[in-house]
């Protein structure tokens, strides 16, 4: 689903996605339309502008993910401001691109977010990771924190940075399946259910250093 209150931009994004083989099941111009049409169309991924008539993109992100936690949200915004980026990520967005991104960058981001990766316009990932490090209190240790193997920790750091399974496999000279297994083992240890939660946990624990 594509959500943007500018018709020309909304139509262009929809056209690019359809041209690349994606099925666009709905479009919306306002936050209210987005939430209503999301519930009716049940898209797997939402490409969403933040600056839309109320409720805004952050609120829409929070609401659609509460309705369907398996959905993915990729923010496509004119704003690269720290506050906007962080609010979107905290609401559950798994990707954030500024509108200066190229068509190829948009399509690549959609594919990666659909797979569960975290994707950011270059420069924004460091901003997000740095902010979560700042918010985490290093003096506080969690006695319930599960023990991970060195390899699981290494893979987790790369997940926190938004690398795909394929990229992690290439860097560590492992098979794609082995990387998946490491992530799944970590998920079981943390009693979590998806890579979004895994990434948030890793960032909060400072594993993105």
């Amino acid at each position: 689903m594509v959500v943007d209150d500018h018709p020309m931009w909304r139509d262009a994004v929809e056209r690019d996605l359809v041209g690349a083989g994606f099925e666009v099941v709905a479009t919306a111009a306002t936050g209210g339309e987005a939430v209503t049409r999301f519930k009716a169309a049940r898209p797997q991924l939402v490409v969403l502008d933040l600056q839309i008539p109320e409720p805004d993109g952050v609120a829409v992100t929070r609401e659609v993910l509460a309705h369907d936690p398996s959905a993915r949200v990729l923010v496509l915004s004119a704003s690269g401001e720290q506050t906007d980026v962080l609010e979107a990520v905290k609401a559950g967005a798994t990707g954030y691109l500024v509108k200066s991104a190229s068509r190829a960058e948009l399509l690549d981001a959609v594919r990666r977010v659909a797979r569960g990766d975290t994707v950011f316009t270059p420069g924004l990932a460091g901003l997000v990771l740095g902010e979560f490090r700042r918010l985490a209190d290093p003096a506080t240790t969690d006695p319930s924190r599960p023990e991970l193997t060195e390899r699981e920790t290494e893979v987790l750091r790369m997940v926190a940075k938004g690398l795909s399974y394929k990229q992690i496999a290439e860097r560590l000279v492992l098979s794609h399946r082995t990387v998946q297994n490491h992530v799944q083992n970590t998920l079981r240890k943390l009693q979590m259910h998806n890579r979004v939660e895994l990434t948030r946990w890793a960032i909060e624990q400072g594993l993105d250093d």
Side-chain angles (χ1 to χ4, degrees), residues 55-135:
D56 65 14
V58 170
V60 169
T61 297
R62 195 174 290 115
E63 189 157 348
V64 299
L65 293 179
H67 183 74
D68 181 4
S70 68
R72 307 287 181 187
V73 175
L74 170 63
V75 171
L76 184 61
S77 174
S79 171
E81 293 297 317
Q82 175 172 329
T83 301
D84 290 332
V85 178
L86 295 175
E87 287 302 313
V89 172
K90 291 173 185 177
T94 49
Y96 195 111
L97 291 185
V98 292
K99 286 186 173 179
S100 58
S102 67
R103 176 180 179 275
E105 288 172 329
L106 170 63
L107 296 177
D108 178 64
V110 168
R111 293 187 185 98
R112 289 187 58 195
V113 169
R115 292 198 302 263
D117 289 351
T118 52
V119 181
F120 294 94
T121 293
L124 296 186
L127 180 158
V128 173
L129 299 177
E131 176 67 6
F132 273 99
R133 272 205 309 273
R134 186 187 70 78
L135 293 175

Side-chain angles (χ1 to χ4, degrees), residues 141-175:
T141 55
D142 183 359
S144 66
R145 173 174 167 170
E147 290 296 323
L148 303 179
T149 66
E150 288 186 15
R151 179 62 85 185
E152 286 168 350
T153 301
E154 190 172 19
V155 170
L156 190 56
R157 284 198 180 99
M158 294 186 177
V159 171
K161 293 179 179 178
L163 272 67
S164 67
Y165 287 159
K166 180 180 178 182
Q167 291 171 315
I168 295 172
E170 290 173 352
R171 290 196 182 193
L172 299 181
V173 196
L174 299 171
S175 70

